[in-house]
């Protein structure tokens, strides 16, 4: 497969569709130097983006949290996504919307004089974890910790928050793992590099309190699905010592969807009935 910079198709850039290979930015774009960038990852199923409007709303909130007002409305972002899907003839695709501080008068830390730019791209993308989607992912335990909300806006989907995710996933892959599990700055179980996490014990579900991590839209959807089924969901701080007591585990995210976990470090989990049920129910929901 060719690189992501060398493909046929169209990308929406600053209000218009351009040829894929022409969707470029200047090397002195502020975001490249200072991480002034926010984004959304979304999936389109049978021509419809799941929770599309919620993603667009969150993009704008993320921009606000980075003091980077995005110059488009929710309706304009929604229209841009539809333009991209139609222009590329896609019905089932991954959709990436990204907004960033571009090149301008400022080239220091401050960037208020620089324009905020936005792009939308879409492409066909299968299971994020490959066969792990069915067999259960194997996770390393990251050496890095998710930061305190006092140090960075942890509820923003901001590019800068993913630096340690890249480093941790590279380390995990070098060990033959699919991903890595983070603890947060207090030592509580937090999330994977690009997905939230759930555990099952005694027919009840436990998931970390998102007080220092992104409260994912798929996470919120899955909690709703569990509660509709009368399954007790404990949203709480989880200590790493508890991992040995859990029977099942899965990850959630727009890219990850619902992916079973078979192992975290030395701890193993059954890809059990509830995990399968929620995974299959989520697949049905996104295509409803």
């Amino acid at each position: 497969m060719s690189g992501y910079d060398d493909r046929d198709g169209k990308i929406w850039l600053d209000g218009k569709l351009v040829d894929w290979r022409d969707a470029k930015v200047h090397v002195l774009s502020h975001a490249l130097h200072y991480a002034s960038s926010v984004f959304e990852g979304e999936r389109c199923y049978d021509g419809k983006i799941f929770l599309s409007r919620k993603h667009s709303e969150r993009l704008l909130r993320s921009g606000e949290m980075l003091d980077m007002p995005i110059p488009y409305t929710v309706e304009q972002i929604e229209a841009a996504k539809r333009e991209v899907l139609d222009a590329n003839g896609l019905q089932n695709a991954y959709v990436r919307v990204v907004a960033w501080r571009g090149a301008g008068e400022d080239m220091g830390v401050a960037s208020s004089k620089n324009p905020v730019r936005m792009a939308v791209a879409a492409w066909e993308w299968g299971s994020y974890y490959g066969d792990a989607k069915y067999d259960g992912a194997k996770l390393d335990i990251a050496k890095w910790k998710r930061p305190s909300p006092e140090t960075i806006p942890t509820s923003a989907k901001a590019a800068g928050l993913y630096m340690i995710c890249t480093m941790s996933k590279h380390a995990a892959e070098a060990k033959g793992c699919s991903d890595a599990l983070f603890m947060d700055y207090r030592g509580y179980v937090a999330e994977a590099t690009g997905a939230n996490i759930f555990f099952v014990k005694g027919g009840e579900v436990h998931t970390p309190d998102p007080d220092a991590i992104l409260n994912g839209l798929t996470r919120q959807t899955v909690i709703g699905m569990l509660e509709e089924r009368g399954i007790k969901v404990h949203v709480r701080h989880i200590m790493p010592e508890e991992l040995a007591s859990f029977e099942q585990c899965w990850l959630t995210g727009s890219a990850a969807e619902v992916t079973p976990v078979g192992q975290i470090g030395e701890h193993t989990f059954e890809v059990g009935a509830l995990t399968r049920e929620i995974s299959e129910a989520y697949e049905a929901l996104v295509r409803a």
Side-chain angles (χ1 to χ4, degrees), residues 1 4 7-8 20 42-44 85 88-95 121-127:
M1 179 182 289
Y4 278 93
R7 298 186 175 196
D8 296 328
W20 191 288
E42 312 171 37
R43 280 197 186 263
C44 179
L85 291 167
N88 291 288
L90 295 169
Q91 289 289 306
N92 293 280
Y94 180 80
V95 180
W123 59 90
E124 291 182 349
W125 201 14
S127 177

Side-chain angles (χ1 to χ4, degrees), residues 81-251:
K81 288 187 276 189
R82 177 46 53 193
E83 273 192 80
V84 167
L85 291 167
D86 291 346
N88 291 288
L90 295 169
Q91 289 289 306
N92 293 280
Y94 180 80
V95 180
R96 171 60 58 90
V97 186
V98 58
W100 69 98
R101 285 280 187 186
E105 295 180 46
D106 288 330
M107 199 49 227
V109 173
S111 61
S112 59
K113 297 177 184 177
N114 292 16
V116 177
R117 306 183 62 187
M118 193 177 86
V120 183
W123 59 90
E124 291 182 349
W125 201 14
S127 177
Y128 186 66
Y129 290 106
D131 292 342
K133 171 84 174 166
Y134 309 100
D135 302 331
K138 181 180 178 183
L139 272 58
D140 185 27
I141 296 179
K143 72 174 185 178
W144 301 99
K145 293 185 177 181
R146 300 310 285 162
S148 164
E150 295 176 327
T151 65
I152 198 166
T154 54
S155 57
K157 195 166 177 66
L161 284 161
Y162 285 80
M163 179 181 68
I164 58 172
C165 297
T166 298
M167 297 160 68
S168 298
K169 187 151 184 170
H170 286 175
E173 290 174 342
K175 298 177 183 178
C177 297
S178 302
D179 206 342
L181 175 67
F182 285 108
M183 305 305 154
D184 71 13
Y185 67 103
R186 298 160 297 191
Y188 298 133
V189 173
E191 60 183 344
T193 63
N196 293 120
I197 195 161
F198 289 76
F199 301 97
V200 181
K201 179 168 66 174
E204 297 183 344
V205 173
H206 304 254
T207 189
D209 187 329
D211 59 355
I213 57 175
L214 190 73
N215 184 13
L217 295 176
T218 308
R219 175 189 182 277
Q220 296 174 47
T221 299
V222 167
I223 288 174
M225 293 167 61
L226 290 163
E227 290 175 342
E228 287 173 2
R229 287 165 169 74
I231 296 168
K232 178 67 177 177
V233 180
H234 302 271
V235 178
R236 63 181 181 86
H237 294 144
I238 298 172
M239 297 299 296
E241 306 88 78
E242 296 182 66
L243 293 176
S245 70
F246 295 125
E247 301 148 8
Q248 301 176 46
C249 177
W250 68 75
L251 301 174

